Structures are given as C-alpha cells and as structure tokens.
Amino acid sequence: MAGVLTGEEVQDVVEIVNRHVERADLEQLLYTALDKQLDDYVEADVWRTQVFQLVRKANNQGFVVELLKALAESELLPPDKRARLAALAASVAARPAPEARRAEPEAEAEPGPAAGFATRAAQWLSVRSNRILVAALLAYAVVLTTIASIPVSASLMVKSSAEQRQQAVANGRVSASDTRPQYSPPRPGFSIHYGDYYYAVNGSGDARLTLSPFQYLGAIVAGRISLNVQYPGGGNTPAVQGFSGFSIAQIQLEKSSDDPGPSDTMGLLWDEGGHGLAAASSAWSLVGPAQAAPATGGRLFVQSVAVDKSAGSAQVDATLSAGGASIPLTALGIDLSSATQAQLPVVPGAIAVQNFQSFFALPQPSLAGGATITLRTSGSLFSAGYAESFNLPDAMALGKPVELTGSAGGKMVVQLAYPIDVVFFERQNTPAMTDKLTPLVAAAGFATRLNTKSATVPGSYNVVYAGADVPIPALQKVLKVFLDNGVDIRSVQPRLQLRNGLQNQIQIGSSSQAACLPPLTAEQRARLLGSEADFDGVASRPGNTC
C-alpha cells in the first residue's frame, strides 16, 4: 500500500482541481479512469468543498495515487499542473504506508475525551467560581457528550476599498456624506476552514460550522475559537474570534483577497474560450421548455444598511410589510440559482453594502410603495434587543436607489428591480465598457452581475444570450442600453435553455463564433427594439453563428 498526502499537499491538490476542473469533467474522469462515482464521495453543495471531500477520502481510502495519476494524464489541467500532480503521485507511491493505529485496551472507568475535558474544565472553574456554576457546567457537559455534533453560526464581512466606496457612492448605494467604514458580504468562493472541513460562505456572508462536543466545550471555556478564512484564489487568513452560545463573533476582513489573479465571482457559466454554454436542448436546464414562464413581479434589494452599535449583532431579522402581507428577506445562493429566507448582515456602527444580494420578493412591484421595512433582533436576559423601522415612499421607481432613515436613526438604501439578472462576462478588452454599462443597466431596473473567469482572455462584447424566462420586452430594454452606448452586438439569442439552469439571466460576452458575423445594420438595430415579430426576424436570422 502506498503512502498518503500531507495536509499541505491535500490543500495543494484541492486548489489545482478547484481552479482548473469542472464538476462534469471530474465526474467523467472518475468513472472512466477509476470506475468510481463522484457522488459516492461528496456531500457538500459547494464545488470547492466537494473537491476537498473527494481528495481527503481518496487519501484515507487508498486510491489517492490513482486519482493523481488520472488527473495528471488527462487534458483537464495545464501542463505545469499535470507535471506537478504526476510528481506528487510518484512521491506518494514511494512512501511507506501509514502504520495502523494499535487498539488500546478500553479502561472501564475512564471517561471519553469530551467528558474528560469537561471534567478538567469544571475543576479549573471550581477554584474560581461557586459550586452552582460548576454543577451547571458538568450537567451541560453530560448532555453535550451524548450529541455527535453541534452546529454554530459564523458571519463574514469584508471592508470595502476606497475605489469600491467611490463606486457605491456613484451608484447611489451609499450617501456621500456618510463617512463610517464600509463593509459588504464577500464575493462567492470564500469558505471557512475549521478542523477537517471547509464550510462555504453564502451570498449573505453566513456559514454554519459543526463542532464536536470536545471542540465546542473548548471554545466555550476559552471564549474564542481559531479558524482560517479561505480566499477564492487559494490564500487564507487565520482568525481568532470570540465565541459564546452557538455563534462565532463576526469576522471582519480588511481586504477582499490576497490573490492578484482574476476572481471566480460567478462560477463558470461560459467555457474558457468564451463560448456561451447555451443550447436549444433542455438537457442541462433546471426549467424545461414546458415549464418556462416569463419572470414576473419585482425584487426590492437592500443595497446598504447602517445601524447603531446598540444593534449589537452581526445579523438582524428583516421583514417588509406591504398590502397587509409580511414578506421576509431572502438572499441569493452562491450560484444564484435559488433564493432562501435569510437574515440581513450588518456591521453595527458601520455601513454594510449588499449590492444586489438580499431582497424582498414582491408579487407586484407596486407593493413597494408605502411599505415598511422592520429590522429586529431578539432580546435576552441582559438585553432588550433591537428594533427599527424604515418607511418607503408612496411611489418607487424601478432602478432608482432610495435612501431611507430609520426610526432609530439608521440609514438604508433600497432599489427596486425586475427579477432578471444581467451578467457581464468580462474579457481583457471590456473593463471600461463594463464600468460604463453596469450603472446604466441597474438604472433600467436590472440587477447586474460580473463574471471574471476569462478576464485575461482577449475579446470584446459581441453576443447576448437570454434565458427562457426572460420576456422579450425586458431583453429589449437591456439591448437598448447596449446599442445606445456603443456595444458592437453581432448576435442576439433569446429564449434559450441556458445550460447553467438560470433561466432569468441575460448574458453579454465575447464569442469567436459571433465575431465573424457582419455588424448589425441600422435597420437591424432598429428592428431589434421594435415589435416582437421584427425582433425575431433579426435575432433568429440565418447564420446566427459561424
């Protein structure tokens, strides 16, 4: 039997696979090269955590050398990474197998490690506290040692750079006169590393960790917990956070990344060559043709919020009261494919910027007018809790940021939008155009997203895709912004079953398959913005790609 990877080598392999390999390709490689099913080894929803689980189990179950060889011999990785994994496979194969742990005789009266730790903690406390507190801790320990794992919550916020702050002010999400520090939830791809696991951070900056009773009691007694924040680019930052009850004190990063390379802000929705992953078939879609329906209603996004330090919490409950109904706040997941009820991340005493992440789902956009948003935290034996209400104006315009003042002096900026996302697939030649277009698209009433996966690849915007749920009039609104501001659109492809399954997206990017098409004539550009029949005559023209 071969040896095993070290912890550092496991992390190295995880970073290589996470950065260069897609799930479908790894799934096929495992099946064809190793006769194994990926789903038998992974449980998490986040791709990076899945990779970690696979590599760790391969390491523990004795097939890590075969996995490394298969990756090194495939065409999925760059040559230097393939060479790195081939050398690593040879090194591990030459190492001696780890010695099996000898079974120790079981002591009849010896408590387990968690119970023993709890007892020692109680003895330490008995010198410094009264017997009632010691008895309570012992009883607590007895209960905890019967539980396999204990969930605790964590929250991550990142301090905005000067450039990001200026952009937030320019887009109306933050008041220029508000000089408080500015934080926002991290971009997708962050995780918290604790023990043997990486815990994904969702779009609101939240993560849920599981601790063993031993780990939990250690954190309770110490009043703190040590962990690492993992950046999307592979770097990490150690953090020692306060710990009480079932929550970890909010982690506040001073910078968003230590990786100078492009960031995976949206996951790979197009391939590395920039070709849109769209197809007439619904094989990759989460919404079949018969189920596809135009996106309706509206989203009232909370773009930023600043509350007083008296809020005393990293998360607050948020509800919108409108038309006799109470609507909870929802937040988009990392892959943007779903929205679930969530709390609103705040940084007491500072500004927390959301930027099209947390929203109230409205059956009708008009419901936002005259509505009230209430923020609240639960009280406790020592605190009365926090509550503050924000009243919206009677009329709300799509795409226009509105600043609200709360009943306790807090500040909030909200923005009404269509339930449709416009995704910019950045290329080497597009940043200036992206910066020009994003505020204009937002002002037209759409949430904007950025994908920088291929930001180092040359190319200019020339193609627009729209998912099956995007109504043609909504697509035309976005096309008008593009055409009026100098985008050389060569191809428009509507009503597609996007292979990423997110059918409420309009995607703009660069495609070599569209670059060879002739520019649109003035007549064609006008017809794209005309009746639906005129639109179809241009969007569905023969030779839409070449």
Side-chain angles (χ1 to χ4, degrees):
M1 181 178 176
V4 296
L5 296 170
T6 65
E8 185 176 350
E9 289 169 340
V10 167
Q11 182 170 333
D12 191 17
V13 175
V14 169
E15 297 307 330
I16 291 173
V17 176
N18 177 60
R19 182 179 286 269
H20 297 286
V21 181
E22 293 187 62
R23 191 186 196 282
D25 293 329
L26 182 61
E27 192 171 25
Q28 182 177 353
L29 178 70
L30 278 178
Y31 184 76
T32 57
L34 304 182
D35 194 25
K36 296 182 184 294
Q37 297 282 353
L38 179 60
D39 288 338
D40 292 340
Y41 298 93
V42 301
E43 299 172 354
D45 295 328
V46 179
W47 173 232
R48 190 187 186 288
T49 307
Q50 290 181 350
V51 175
F52 171 76
Q53 290 174 338
L54 172 65
V55 175
R56 182 170 62 87
K57 290 181 180 179
N59 206 32
N60 294 340
Q61 297 177 19
F63 65 92
V64 71
V65 172
E66 289 77 6
L67 175 62
L68 293 175
K69 286 181 178 179
L71 287 166
E73 294 169 1
S74 73
E75 299 293 332
L76 302 177
L77 301 173
D80 61 321
K81 304 301 182 186
R82 294 168 59 189
R84 162 66 177 147
L85 295 189
L88 191 56
S91 173
V92 175
R95 296 173 190 173
E99 292 185 7
R101 296 180 181 177
R102 291 182 300 173
E104 298 290 343
E106 193 172 292
E108 293 182 3
E110 186 68 18
F117 179 84
T119 302
R120 292 193 298 275
Q123 291 172 348
W124 181 85
L125 283 171
S126 66
V127 181
R128 297 162 177 80
S129 183
N130 57 57
R131 294 183 179 180
I132 296 176
L133 180 59
V134 175
L137 181 59
L138 283 171
Y140 197 38
V142 169
V143 173
L144 289 176
T145 51
T146 65
I147 302 174
S149 61
I150 302 163
V152 299
S153 61
S155 173
L156 176 65
M157 297 290 280
V158 180
K159 191 173 185 179
S160 302
S161 65
E163 181 181 0
Q164 289 170 326
R165 183 182 181 88
Q166 291 174 358
Q167 186 176 29
V169 171
N171 292 337
R173 296 176 190 140
V174 174
S175 172
S177 61
D178 197 333
T179 59
R180 286 174 288 189
Q182 178 179 307
Y183 290 82
S184 61
R187 58 190 173 90
F190 275 81
S191 61
I192 294 176
H193 182 200
Y194 179 74
D196 294 332
Y197 296 95
Y198 289 86
Y199 299 90
V201 176
N202 68 16
S204 298
D206 302 329
R208 186 167 292 273
L209 286 61
T210 54
L211 277 60
S212 69
F214 182 83
Q215 292 170 326
Y216 180 82
L217 286 169
I220 282 289
V221 171
R224 61 183 181 272
I225 188 169
S226 299
L227 40 80
N228 279 280
V229 176
Q230 195 77 23
Y231 293 96
N236 65 83
T237 295
V240 179
Q241 300 300 119
F243 184 89
S244 63
F246 295 93
S247 60
I248 299 170
Q250 186 179 72
I251 305 168
Q252 296 176 1
L253 294 183
E254 294 301 309
K255 57 179 181 176
S256 62
S257 176
D258 61 355
D259 175 19
S263 59
D264 302 342
T265 57
M266 281 276 296
L268 186 58
L269 303 185
W270 287 22
D271 65 22
E272 287 291 350
H275 307 124
L277 298 179
S281 168
S282 63
W284 286 82
S285 175
L286 299 180
V287 182
Q291 297 170 305
T296 58
R299 292 176 174 177
L300 182 67
F301 286 93
V302 177
Q303 299 288 53
S304 70
V305 61
V307 297
D308 190 76
K309 291 184 178 180
S310 61
S313 176
Q315 305 284 333
V316 298
D317 294 321
T319 55
L320 181 139
S321 300
S326 181
I327 302 172
L329 185 76
T330 53
L332 291 168
I334 291 175
D335 60 359
L336 305 182
S337 64
S338 61
T340 56
Q341 186 171 336
Q343 291 182 301
L344 180 66
V346 299
V347 182
I351 306 170
V353 178
Q354 287 290 299
N355 193 18
F356 292 117
Q357 190 64 50
S358 299
F359 63 92
F360 299 100
L362 305 175
Q364 299 175 357
S366 59
L367 284 177
T372 299
I373 297 173
T374 302
L375 306 184
R376 188 183 306 276
T377 60
S378 301
S380 66
L381 181 63
F382 305 102
S383 171
Y386 158 80
E388 186 166 9
S389 58
F390 297 79
N391 295 323
L392 278 70
D394 291 338
M396 290 284 295
L398 278 163
K400 181 180 179 181
V402 177
E403 183 175 352
L404 310 174
T405 299
S407 55
K411 296 291 184 180
M412 180 186 295
V413 174
V414 296
Q415 189 166 343
L416 188 61
Y418 295 106
I420 296 169
D421 294 340
V422 178
V423 187
F424 291 81
F425 288 82
E426 192 84 280
R427 284 301 190 91
Q428 191 178 75
N429 310 96
T430 60
M433 181 60 77
T434 303
D435 290 343
K436 178 182 180 181
L437 293 174
T438 47
L440 298 175
V441 171
F446 299 88
T448 56
R449 315 286 178 191
L450 182 64
N451 183 311
T452 58
K453 187 74 175 183
S454 299
T456 59
V457 180
S460 300
Y461 291 137
N462 61 14
V463 62
V464 175
Y465 289 162
D469 290 359
V470 178
I472 297 302
L475 175 58
Q476 289 176 313
K477 287 178 181 290
V478 176
L479 285 174
K480 187 176 190 309
V481 174
F482 294 161
L483 295 173
D484 287 352
N485 288 277
V487 182
D488 184 16
I489 299 296
R490 302 293 181 94
S491 176
V492 178
Q493 300 184 36
R495 307 184 189 92
L496 294 171
Q497 291 295 323
L498 299 177
R499 283 176 58 182
N500 63 20
L502 308 180
Q503 307 308 329
N504 70 326
Q505 285 188 354
I506 297 172
Q507 303 176 355
I508 179 171
S510 177
S511 170
S512 58
Q513 294 180 331
C516 58
L517 292 172
L520 295 174
T521 65
E523 179 188 359
Q524 289 173 325
R525 293 160 68 97
R527 290 176 63 194
L528 275 178
L529 305 180
S531 68
E532 192 161 333
D534 284 341
F535 171 89
D536 286 338
V538 177
S540 303
R541 60 180 176 154
N544 211 14
T545 58
C546 52

